[in-house]
Amino acid sequence: MLNPSDMQKLLKQNAVLLLSVSLLVVSCAPKKDKSSVTGWTYNDPQGNGFRVAKAKEQATGPGLVFVQGGTFTMGATQEDVMGEWNNVPRRVTVASFYMDETEVANVHYREYLFWISRVFQEDTAVYNHALPDTLCWRSALAYNEPYVEYYFRHPAYNFYPVVGVTWKQAHDFCLWRTDRVNEEILFEKGLTNKKAELQKQMQGGGQENFNTKAYLLGEYQATPGKNMKEFKDPITKQTPTNISFEDGLILPDYRLPTEAEWEFAAYGYVNQNPQPRKKEKGKRGEELVANKQVYPWSENVNGLRYTRHGSMQGEFLANFKRGSGDNMGVAGGLNDRAPITAPVKSFLPNGFGLYNMAGNVSEWCADVYRPLSSEDMDDFNPYRGNRWQKVDMSTGKPERDSLGRIKMVDVTDSESNNRRNYQRGNVINELDGDSSSQVFYDYGKTTLINDHSRVVKGGSWNDRAYYLSPGTRRFLDEDHSDCTIGFRCAMTRYGSQEGNGSRTGNWFDKRRQNSRKM
């Protein structure tokens, strides 16, 4: 048994040890982020409850390739042999974005149709509306009937580009893809219960399916997963049923690329713009605005054939029609080996890693077509087709339509007329030379285009070489389709413009900054 003096000594030692442990725990506690504006801490139960997700880069969605933006000369790069003069050269800037590595293939579109058939079992009209027009292969004076039956569904054509799809159908595919990708992200992160969600959606009712906007607005109640507890409120300690957009996990919308994005991506300039070498930090790649290449590929950029010595010498670099009656060359010496389309990963990718940005199929763009778009549009992210909408709050809260999407209404002119940056909700016709815009290019000239005419870019398997140049452009009504037109999706890039791991703006070390102080 300890005597009183030893007991007192032991108690003092224990007190010192306890104090040391307490200080160690405090020093090891994670440092909370603090607002540089108010001084309040973020994510702090003792603070005001404001929750801020850790800064993170945008993830790359499935099938996408990062396209670093920049300035380039949009429009014609060769003689206007068609006499249309609808692609007047103009220097513009495109912000960085993502684009599909390949054209959307038959198997991808069949996956879309399969999902519709499972989820909308009670509404066959939704399925029928999404079906591509396989009759697009028919010709009054050609025997193409086998393609009508086999091209879209036979496994031999699984990875050939889907055709016979209207602009509207391509747009709807992008909406569907956004929801499926974000739904899978939530499954993978354990934020929603995959088994319960699939069971709920596959009952065939239709409306009760995951929609990104409905989920973020709280109008679609997903079954929480095991990891949702990580997002509990720091004050109430309650676990939410849905995460928010500010958590940075939900990807932006898949969409059709703008004409400027498509054309910029097709050139693949990055492959010819040397980046600074590690040993030469002071040197930078010069701008290639003056580079007037004709075709997308990085080998022989102004020619149609592979020019390096070897087994590939002289082979065509795209799937196109060489001349009348020559879709693939002669037997024993085929020039592109494809009488119609070819697999989406055939031929060489361009500098950005994108396949078939010339030839194979032409592709839908988001823009409404106007012959003189280059003279009308802004020089940063040029685009014609804005028709702004907002969430329909007529019942006091957001609601979903029969497809499970949030109901939207058009922004009215009366809501816009006091703004300085736009005065109408529908600006498709903004400054386009028609009577309502009060802008006139020339008297008495008319056109067959309308507000439903959409831009088509890139040559196809049945086009001459002229249309292989990214600067050429054509149009088709958005509810029409063709056996030469397909599409690929794009996505906006948020944050740093040089990709993940890079900063926005030029940053200088403290020593250099201090030396510049007055």
Side-chain angles (χ1 to χ4, degrees), residues 100-115:
D100 269 341
E101 182 182 28
T102 69
E103 298 139 341
V104 173
N106 285 323
V107 69
H108 304 140
Y109 203 85
R110 293 206 308 267
E111 179 185 357
Y112 169 49
L113 292 178
F114 173 79
W115 182 90

Side-chain angles (χ1 to χ4, degrees), residues 156-209:
Y157 293 112
N158 274 352
F159 293 98
Y160 284 58
V162 65
V163 297
V165 174
T166 68
W167 183 94
K168 290 181 178 178
Q169 289 174 320
H171 173 74
D172 287 344
F173 177 91
C174 294
L175 298 179
W176 167 83
R177 186 177 176 184
T178 299
D179 295 336
R180 301 290 71 75
V181 168
N182 283 325
E183 183 179 38
E184 181 61 22
I185 289 174
L186 297 178
F187 290 158
E188 291 179 352
K189 299 291 185 182
L191 302 178
T192 55
N193 187 302
K194 187 171 187 177
K195 183 177 180 180
E197 284 296 291
L198 292 181
Q199 184 177 5
K200 177 172 59 176
Q201 295 183 37
M202 295 305 176
Q203 292 175 349
Q207 186 188 50
E208 196 58 27
N209 67 84

Side-chain angles (χ1 to χ4, degrees), residues 62-88:
L64 298 176
V65 171
F66 176 68
V67 178
Q68 186 180 132
T71 182
F72 79 112
T73 300
M74 186 177 178
T77 58
Q78 56 183 325
E79 183 183 358
D80 184 20
V81 297
M82 303 302 292
E84 294 175 314
W85 202 236
N86 64 353
N87 53 349
V88 182

